[in-house]
Amino acid sequence: MKNNAIMKHAAAVGIFVVVLFAVCLIWKVTITEPEVAAFHMNALKTAFPGFKWYDVASILWGGVLSFVYGCIAAYVFHGLHKNCCKLKE
């Protein structure tokens, strides 16, 4: 039962990180300074290996990696804090 709660939490965190990735992609459109735009692209390429530019494959790969990173972070958090999701029985 507790493992199911951890999986739900991991999925929720993964979806939240995908939304943050989408906000990051949308934010790129608003950047007007070339130095900031170059830094932003380098940060995306560093965080998401295989991310090249704003094409469909890169965006999908970034979304998949965002979800995986969020799930891993949730599992690590629950591994370190074992009593954070006590269920009523």
Side-chain angles (χ1 to χ4, degrees), residues 11-29 40 43-44 47-48 51 54 59 62-71 73:
V13 172
I15 291 170
F16 176 72
V17 176
V18 170
V19 169
L20 287 179
F21 175 70
V23 168
C24 211
L25 292 177
I26 294 168
W27 181 68
K28 164 69 170 90
V29 177
H40 184 72
L44 285 173
F48 305 107
F51 187 87
Y54 284 87
I59 291 172
V64 167
L65 284 179
S66 295
F67 184 79
V68 169
Y69 291 164
C71 288

Side-chain angles (χ1 to χ4, degrees), residues 26-59:
I26 294 168
W27 181 68
K28 164 69 170 90
V29 177
T30 65
I31 298 173
T32 57
E33 297 181 28
E35 296 87 13
V36 176
F39 174 77
H40 184 72
M41 283 307 297
N42 286 334
L44 285 173
K45 289 177 184 178
T46 301
F48 305 107
F51 187 87
K52 293 181 182 23
W53 193 244
Y54 284 87
D55 60 351
V56 175
S58 288
I59 291 172

Side-chain angles (χ1 to χ4, degrees), residues 1-17 67 70-75 77-78 84-85 87:
M1 187 79 116
K2 184 172 178 156
N3 193 23
N4 191 19
I6 293 172
M7 287 177 40
K8 285 182 182 179
H9 184 247
V13 172
I15 291 170
F16 176 72
V17 176
F67 184 79
C71 288
I72 289 171
Y75 276 111
F77 178 82
H78 283 284
C84 72
C85 274
L87 299 174

